[in-house]
Amino acid sequence: MGCEDSREFDVVVVGGGPGGSSAATLVAMQGHRVLLLEKEQFPRYQIGESLLPSTVHGICRILGVSEEIEKADFMPKRGGTFRWGQNPEPWTFSFAASDTFSGPTSMAYQVERMTFDQILLDNARRKGVEVREQCSVVDVVERDGRVSGLVYDDAQGDRVTVGARFVIDASGNKSRIRGAVGSTREYSPFFQNLALFGYFEGGKRLPAPNQGNILCAAFELGWFWYIPLTEGLTSVGAVLRRDSLDRIDKDRRQALDGFVEQCPLIADFLADATPVQSGPYGEVRIRKDYSYTQDRFWRPGMVLVGDAACFIDPVFSSGVHLATYSALLAARSINTVLAGTVAEETCFAEYETRYRKEYGVFHEFLLAFYDMHRDEGSYFWSAKKITQGAGSQLESFVDLVGGAASGEHGLIDAAAYSGERESAFREFADLIDNPADPADADRDMFGSSLVESVLEEGARIQLQAEFGADLDDDELDAPNGSLVPSADGLHWSVVGA
């Protein structure tokens, strides 16, 4: 039998991961009444362990958890190491090579998500969020053309209806309510991949000071991630094209071992390692269809955050960044609407434009990055193989993505995309293909305009968290060209007001 929650909330958040807990906290910090519903009991397992500096030094600072993150003894990550492209030897880039990330913010962490997510959720509680775990959301409540609440089953199995002025769906790629915004999911025509992943004890580490770096290694069927979570524990995953699913029978562990054998670098790093067989890390898991975007991110009374809205191939560890960045944007929009200073449609149009722009630069960058493996015999890496086109690989990329319905920058007008980005693609390719300076172990990827575009927004968040000033870029193509972040980063301000 259903019941009504007698209290009305300003915001109800679905999902207690980084996106949900961050959005809930940033709204509650403004004194609003926030309820967060999480279907599981924390701590719980989650994939996505490699963070970017903008999350660690930007979002976490704004949330007020920087000291806790620092004390959690997570594995420091100073950059990334890749066996990629035509260069047969692994190469490394360091965050410190960028002027933006130089100094104490030139690192991030590899994190056990059970611990990291618990820190963020507990912080939400301390900041005034009411957290209810083991609550499964069933549907949204609509009234007069807007979402006005949720229906959920609580920990005792009772069905509850709760009212809210806004609903934030941060429940991930398997969201049950994302369709309530009136949108459909568009899967990337290029990144139609799956991941097969597990955990190992005793794997090798890169030489100091890069022992905490993520290691990514390309092989014929795709690429591997190798993430050192602790001194002994390593997350290992093979990202494969979809037709590789036929090679994965009922024994996933045997399949993962088989793929490892086909990638000599990863096989060497795991030569003396043993697979974890029990506990939350004891299962070999599969995730499919994880590069997509919804064709709409919001409707009156409801907004999609993080993976509920979009997700992109994880080669550059963008998952938690996109989740927490979208949480910040959503919180700004909601705080501004609740304050009555800017109209809802204007705020959320700003939200969607900025979030799509950030997703778009990662999508564009990854198209270039995947082109680095130029083996014509590798179906996975070559858009030319996928399209069976007669043109160059760049032209094949354009043919492949030109008809996408996502509305991302560069994916609609193929000719414009080719003309605008060809020089950037070639600049990036040359940077990767050229040998690194023998006197310097790190490759300077920050000379590439593509890399700079990927890091731009994260750097802006870090600077705002550090100095509390409006550091917005006036050139951002916002829908109305009039909104910038407030000095505290938690509201939108009208330009010139």
Side-chain angles (χ1 to χ4, degrees):
M1 183 174 180
C3 63
E4 292 277 348
D5 191 311
S6 59
R7 288 170 297 167
E8 283 281 324
F9 291 88
D10 294 309
V11 177
V12 176
V13 179
V14 186
S21 58
S22 296
T25 301
L26 295 170
V27 174
M29 286 168 62
Q30 297 300 294
H32 302 303
R33 299 161 298 172
V34 182
L35 171 66
L36 186 150
L37 302 173
E38 165 56 45
K39 68 178 180 179
E40 298 187 53
Q41 179 72 50
F42 274 39
R44 55 87 176 96
Y45 171 81
Q46 186 58 267
I47 189 65
E49 302 106 338
S50 194
L51 304 186
L52 296 181
S54 59
T55 300
V56 174
H57 306 290
I59 302 294
C60 288
R61 182 185 291 267
I62 295 171
L63 292 171
V65 294
S66 294
E67 290 187 10
E68 286 182 80
I69 298 297
E70 186 175 345
K71 292 177 181 177
D73 200 29
F74 292 129
M75 176 70 76
K77 167 188 171 182
R78 66 186 297 270
T81 299
F82 292 83
R83 170 42 215 114
W84 207 278
Q86 297 187 102
N87 191 335
E89 297 299 322
W91 50 269
T92 294
F93 80 91
S94 169
F95 294 124
S98 167
D99 291 339
T100 302
F101 293 113
S102 61
T105 64
S106 63
M107 52 77 66
Y109 294 110
Q110 316 286 13
V111 300
E112 292 186 74
R113 284 286 301 277
M114 288 184 290
T115 302
F116 178 74
D117 290 10
Q118 186 76 65
I119 289 173
L120 297 189
L121 190 65
D122 288 344
N123 180 63
R125 287 189 175 96
R126 289 195 301 271
K127 294 296 197 301
V129 177
E130 181 173 335
V131 177
R132 300 178 188 173
E133 298 179 70
Q134 296 180 289
C135 292
S136 181
V137 172
V138 176
D139 203 354
V140 302
V141 176
E142 299 184 40
R143 183 181 303 139
D144 299 328
R146 67 178 292 117
V147 173
S148 59
L150 288 173
V151 179
Y152 70 94
D153 294 333
D154 67 13
Q156 290 72 45
D158 294 327
R159 183 148 292 184
V160 181
T161 300
V162 60
R165 297 176 66 181
F166 286 98
V167 168
I168 297 176
D169 181 11
S171 57
N173 68 308
K174 295 181 180 179
S175 166
R176 298 174 63 180
I177 61 170
R178 57 184 168 82
V181 299
S183 69
T184 58
R185 181 170 287 182
E186 302 287 346
Y187 290 95
S188 169
F190 183 74
F191 302 112
Q192 294 182 2
N193 311 332
L194 62 89
L196 178 70
F197 54 96
Y199 296 81
F200 294 79
E201 286 281 357
K204 292 182 181 178
R205 296 289 179 258
L206 291 162
N210 298 320
Q211 64 268 30
N213 279 13
I214 184 173
L215 172 64
C216 296
F219 72 119
E220 183 179 1
L221 297 177
W223 65 273
F224 269 95
W225 76 66
Y226 188 95
I227 302 175
L229 294 178
T230 68
E231 291 297 327
L233 180 66
T234 307
S235 170
V236 180
V239 178
L240 311 158
R241 64 179 185 264
R242 279 185 58 85
D243 62 10
S244 297
L245 188 61
D246 296 337
R247 304 188 183 202
I248 303 172
D249 55 20
K250 294 181 180 179
D251 191 337
R252 294 179 179 179
R253 188 171 299 282
Q254 184 176 353
L256 181 58
D257 290 342
F259 291 128
V260 168
E261 290 176 2
Q262 297 181 59
C263 186
L265 181 60
I266 299 300
D268 175 65
F269 268 69
L270 292 176
D272 299 321
T274 56
V276 178
Q277 301 277 4
S278 61
Y281 297 129
E283 180 182 349
V284 175
R285 306 169 191 260
I286 291 177
R287 182 166 176 182
K288 297 178 285 186
D289 290 334
Y290 56 67
S291 291
Y292 56 81
T293 180
Q294 295 291 129
D295 60 12
R296 181 169 182 170
F297 289 179
W298 75 282
R299 63 170 287 191
M302 182 175 177
V303 61
L304 306 180
V305 159
D307 293 3
C310 57
F311 189 77
I312 189 66
D313 183 281
V315 69
F316 264 87
S317 310
S318 58
V320 174
H321 163 69
L322 288 173
T324 55
Y325 174 62
S326 63
L328 176 62
L329 294 177
R332 281 178 187 165
S333 299
I334 289 173
N335 288 339
T336 304
V337 175
L338 293 178
T341 55
V342 182
E344 179 178 358
E345 182 174 356
T346 301
C347 288
F348 284 99
E350 191 81 30
Y351 165 83
E352 180 154 347
T353 292
R354 288 174 182 258
Y355 192 19
R356 285 193 183 279
K357 179 178 183 289
E358 188 70 356
Y359 176 89
V361 295
F362 274 96
H363 191 285
E364 185 173 292
F365 174 68
L366 288 170
L367 285 176
F369 198 73
Y370 268 53
D371 194 24
M372 295 306 98
H373 188 95
R374 299 178 188 173
D375 178 6
E376 285 293 320
S378 174
Y379 175 96
F380 180 76
W381 299 103
S382 178
K384 188 172 180 179
K385 290 286 186 179
I386 296 174
T387 62
Q388 299 296 309
S392 69
Q393 288 191 357
L394 177 63
E395 290 167 341
S396 297
F397 277 132
V398 173
D399 291 342
L400 191 65
V401 303
S406 65
E408 305 304 332
H409 173 69
L411 303 189
I412 301 301
D413 186 341
Y417 182 75
S418 177
E420 291 173 6
R421 305 311 293 165
E422 183 169 7
S423 62
F425 273 39
R426 293 279 60 81
E427 172 193 47
F428 183 65
D430 292 343
L431 183 67
I432 299 305
D433 288 341
N434 290 335
D437 184 347
D440 189 353
D442 290 345
R443 184 180 297 276
D444 182 11
M445 292 177 63
F446 300 92
S448 164
S449 59
L450 278 173
V451 177
E452 288 181 350
S453 69
V454 167
L455 297 175
E456 179 182 12
E457 188 63 25
R460 186 179 292 118
I461 294 170
Q462 284 189 213
L463 291 170
Q464 186 160 47
E466 178 73 25
F467 299 109
D470 179 9
L471 301 166
D472 194 54
D473 186 350
D474 292 336
E475 295 181 357
L476 181 66
D477 184 20
N480 55 17
S482 62
L483 298 186
V484 294
S486 60
D488 63 4
L490 300 183
H491 295 81
W492 295 118
S493 297
V494 178
V495 174

